[in-house]
C-alpha cells in the first residue's frame, strides 16, 4: 500500500516550539497522508513562519482564536480524504501510524474507525521528544466498546482514524467544550459506528506543563484537574440526555426488559461516577433499587458494582466538594428495599479509597472518617 485517503488535521495555538517535530513525523509516514492541514487558531508566536517552511506539502489555514473544536470543525469541512486523523500539535507520530491502522481497515471495510495504543513521552534536554513506556490497552469486546468509552477515556482520539462522513454526521467536535472535546467526540463516534483495535502504538504523547486551552480559558498544569472536572460533568450530563437506557447494556438494546434495565441502571451509575455527576449517580442507584426484584437483599454482583462507584473517575473528588450533602442523599436510599445494603456498598468503596490511595496520614484519616460517616448513614 503506497497511497492513502487520510487527511491529517493538526489544530495548533502558540506551539511553535513543538510544531516542526510534529509535522516532520507526519511527513515521514511509510504510507503518506493524502493531505496534512494545520489550522492555526490565532497564534501570536512564529507558528506561521515555521509551517511555511514545508511549502505545498502542508496546507496552512489561519483563523481567529476560538478553541480547538472550532479549528477542527473548520478543517473537517475542507478535508478531501475519506478518513480523518486528528493529531495534537505537541505529539509525534510513529513512522507506520497510518499504515498500521489502514491494514486493520483493509481486513474489515465496514469499520467506521480504528483505535490504537500510544507511547508516553517527555521533552529531552534538546527539546525533542523522548519516547517512554507504551500506554498499553486492554481492548474490550467490540460490543462493549461504546459503554467502556463512556465509563473511561481508555484510549486517545489522537490514536484514531475515522470516516470523514461520520464526523459530518456528528457535527464535528462540540464547541461548547473547552476540555474533553476529544473524549466527547470519541464517545459519540463509538455510539454511531463499529470500531476495531490496532495493536501497534501509533504516536508518542508529549507530557509537559505548558498552558492549554483557548485565550479566554488558558489554564496552567496546576489548574487542569479543576477545568477537566467541570467539563467532565458536562460530558456526563450530555451522555445522560442523549443516550437511551439500552445503550448502557452489553450488547446494547433498543428496548430493555426488566433484567436489562437493572444492568443498564448500574452501568449508567458507573458512567455518571466517572464524570463526577453525583446527583445523577445517586438517582441511578435509587432507580435500580426500585427496579430490582430480589427484595431487601441485593445481589452480590450489584453490591460489587455499587462499591465501585466511589473508586471510579471523578466520583470521589466530586462528592468531597460537599461530603455531608452526598451522605444525606445516599442516606435517603434507606427508604428502598435493599437501600441499606446499597449504602454499605458505597461505604465499602469509600473505605477502599481510604486504604489504597496514596496521601499523608492526615489525608487517609480524613478518608476513613468519610467512609465511617457513610456507613453510619446506612445503620442509623
Amino acid at each position: 500500500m503506497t497511497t492513502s485517503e487520510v487527511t491529517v488535521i493538526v489544530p495548533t495555538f502558540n506551539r511553535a516550539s513543538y510544531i516542526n517535530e510534529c509535522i516532520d513525523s507526519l511527513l515521514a509516514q511509510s504510507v503518506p497522508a493524502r493531505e496534512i492541514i494545520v489550522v492555526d487558531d490565532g497564534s501570536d508566536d512564529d507558528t506561521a513562519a515555521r509551517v511555511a517552511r514545508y511549502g505545498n506539502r502542508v496546507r496552512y489555514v489561519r483563523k481567529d482564536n476560538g478553541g480547538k473544536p472550532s479549528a477542527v470543525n473548520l478543517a473537517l469541512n475542507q478535508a478531501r480524504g475519506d478518513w480523518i486523523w486528528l493529531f495534537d500539535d505537541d505529539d509525534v507520530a510513529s513512522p507506520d501510524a497510518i499504515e498500521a491502522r489502514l491494514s486493520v481497515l483493509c481486513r474489515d471495510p465496514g469499520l467506521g474507525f480504528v483505535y490504537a495504543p500510544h507511547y508516553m513521552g517527555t521533552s529531552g534536554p534538546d527539546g525533542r521528544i523522548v519516547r517512554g513506556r507504551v500506554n498499553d490497552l486492554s481492548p474490550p469486546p467490540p460490543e462493549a466498546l461504546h459503554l467502556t468509552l463512556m465509563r473511561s477515556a481508555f484510549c486517545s482520539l489522537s490514536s484514531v482514524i475515522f470516516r470523514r462522513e461520520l464526523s459530518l454526521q456528528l457535527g464535528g467536535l462540540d464547541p461548547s467544550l473547552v476540555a474533553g472535546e476529544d473524549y466527547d467526540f470519541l464517545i459519540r463516534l463509538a455510539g454511531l459506528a463499529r470500531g476495531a483495535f490496532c495493536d501497534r502504538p501509533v504516536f508518542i504523547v508529549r507530557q509537559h506543563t505548558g498552558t492549554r486551552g483557548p485565550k479566554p480559558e488558558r489554564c496552567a498544569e496546576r489548574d487542569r484537574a479543576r477545568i477537566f472536572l467541570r467539563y467532565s460533568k458536562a460530558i456526563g450530563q450530555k451522555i445522560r440526555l442523549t443516550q437511551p437506557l439500552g445503550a448502557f447494556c452489553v450488547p446494547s438494546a433498543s428496548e430493555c426488559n426488566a433484567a436489562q434495565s437493572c444492568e443498564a441502571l448500574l452501568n449508567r451509575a458507573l458512567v455518571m461516577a466517572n464524570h463526577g455527576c453525583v446527583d445523577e449517580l445517586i438517582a441511578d442507584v435509587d432507580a435500580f433499587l426500585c427496579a430490582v426484584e430480589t427484595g431487601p437483599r441485593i445481589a452480590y454482583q450489584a453490591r460489587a458494582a455499587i462499591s465501585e462507584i466511589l473508586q471510579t473517575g471523578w466520583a470521589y473528588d466530586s462528592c468531597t466538594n460537599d461530603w455531608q450533602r452526598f451522605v444525606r442523599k445516599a442516606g435517603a436510599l434507606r427508604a428502598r428495599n435493599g437501600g441499606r445494603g446499597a449504602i454499605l456498598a458505597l461505604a465499602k468503596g469509600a473505605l477502599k479509597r481510604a486504604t489504597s490511595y496514596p496521601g499523608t496520614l492526615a489525608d487517609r484519616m480524613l478518608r476513613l472518617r468519610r467512609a465511617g460517616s457513610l456507613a453510619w448513614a446506612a445503620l442509623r
Side-chain angles (χ1 to χ4, degrees):
M1 187 179 297
T2 57
T3 60
S4 75
E5 284 295 321
V6 175
T7 292
V8 186
I9 297 173
V10 183
T12 189
F13 176 60
N14 283 349
R15 290 276 176 79
S17 60
Y18 299 140
I19 194 67
N20 289 122
E21 194 174 6
C22 170
I23 294 173
D24 289 344
S25 72
L26 296 173
L27 289 170
Q29 290 295 298
S30 57
V31 173
R34 174 173 178 173
E35 60 182 349
I36 299 169
I37 305 175
V38 173
V39 186
D40 187 343
D41 193 35
S43 297
D44 47 28
D45 58 11
D46 63 340
T47 292
R50 287 173 178 257
V51 178
R53 300 173 189 172
Y54 299 98
N56 60 10
R57 292 184 296 166
V58 174
R59 182 146 49 112
Y60 176 77
V61 178
R62 182 177 175 87
K63 61 179 287 295
D64 292 338
N65 184 260
K68 182 176 180 178
S70 64
V72 168
N73 293 344
L74 176 64
L76 286 173
N77 288 322
Q78 298 182 13
R80 296 188 290 258
D82 295 329
W83 297 89
I84 302 293
W85 181 13
L86 302 181
F87 198 62
D88 285 345
D89 55 0
D90 50 353
D91 297 337
V92 172
S94 302
D96 62 347
I98 292 177
E99 181 181 4
R101 288 170 294 176
L102 286 180
S103 66
V104 175
L105 292 169
C106 286
R107 294 194 294 269
D108 188 350
L111 291 170
F113 64 97
V114 175
Y115 66 101
H118 61 266
Y119 297 103
M120 307 304 290
T122 56
S123 294
D126 62 353
R128 295 185 64 80
I129 204 161
V130 177
R131 195 179 80 182
R133 65 175 178 84
V134 175
N135 182 39
D136 208 4
L137 303 182
S138 298
E143 66 273 14
L145 178 56
H146 186 213
L147 177 61
T148 304
L149 281 167
M150 288 193 289
R151 281 197 56 181
S152 171
F154 79 98
C155 73
S156 166
L157 184 59
S158 290
S159 80
V160 176
I161 60 172
F162 54 88
R163 292 186 186 274
R164 177 174 175 268
E165 64 192 52
L166 295 175
S167 68
L168 298 178
Q169 281 183 253
L170 292 167
L173 272 59
D174 185 342
S176 71
L177 298 172
V178 169
E181 66 280 347
D182 289 4
Y183 179 29
D184 168 71
F185 181 83
L186 190 50
I187 289 170
R188 292 186 286 127
L189 180 66
L192 184 63
R194 277 196 309 119
F197 177 64
C198 168
D199 62 4
R200 286 150 73 177
V202 295
F203 75 102
I204 310 170
V205 62
R206 190 191 301 264
Q207 298 173 290
H208 61 88
T209 57
T211 56
R212 300 173 187 268
K215 285 181 180 178
E217 286 205 61
R218 295 294 275 172
C219 68
E221 179 71 16
R222 66 180 179 275
D223 297 319
R224 287 183 67 195
R226 174 179 55 82
I227 297 291
F228 278 22
L229 173 55
R230 189 203 324 165
Y231 285 99
S232 187
K233 284 183 177 179
I235 292 170
Q237 289 162 350
K238 181 178 178 180
I239 289 171
R240 192 180 180 88
L241 285 171
T242 59
Q243 297 295 329
L245 187 60
F248 299 88
C249 293
V250 178
S252 62
S254 55
E255 294 184 11
C256 296
N257 59 33
Q260 288 172 321
S261 292
C262 290
E263 173 198 356
L265 286 165
L266 284 180
N267 284 337
R268 193 170 68 180
L270 287 164
V271 170
M272 294 299 103
N274 175 59
H275 293 283
C277 299
V278 177
D279 290 353
E280 291 83 357
L281 73 85
I282 290 292
D284 281 335
V285 174
D286 183 67
F288 165 78
L289 293 172
C290 292
V292 75
E293 298 178 354
T294 56
R297 293 181 61 84
I298 57 176
Y300 171 79
Q301 293 89 339
R303 292 200 304 274
I306 294 169
S307 70
E308 193 180 339
I309 283 174
L310 290 183
Q311 302 170 63
T312 300
W314 294 105
Y316 189 83
D317 291 336
S318 291
C319 291
T320 58
N321 287 335
D322 191 342
W323 184 259
Q324 292 307 313
R325 179 179 182 275
F326 170 67
V327 171
R328 288 195 301 273
K329 291 188 73 69
L333 297 173
R334 289 193 309 270
R336 307 296 186 193
N337 282 339
R340 293 181 187 276
I343 302 168
L344 288 172
L346 288 169
K348 182 179 179 181
L351 179 63
K352 188 170 182 179
R353 178 93 186 197
T355 56
S356 61
Y357 282 70
T360 65
L361 179 60
D363 291 336
R364 289 171 178 256
M365 292 304 296
L366 176 59
R367 291 196 289 258
L368 283 170
R369 289 196 295 272
R370 287 172 178 156
S373 68
L374 195 52
W376 177 245
L379 299 173
R380 63 185 179 188

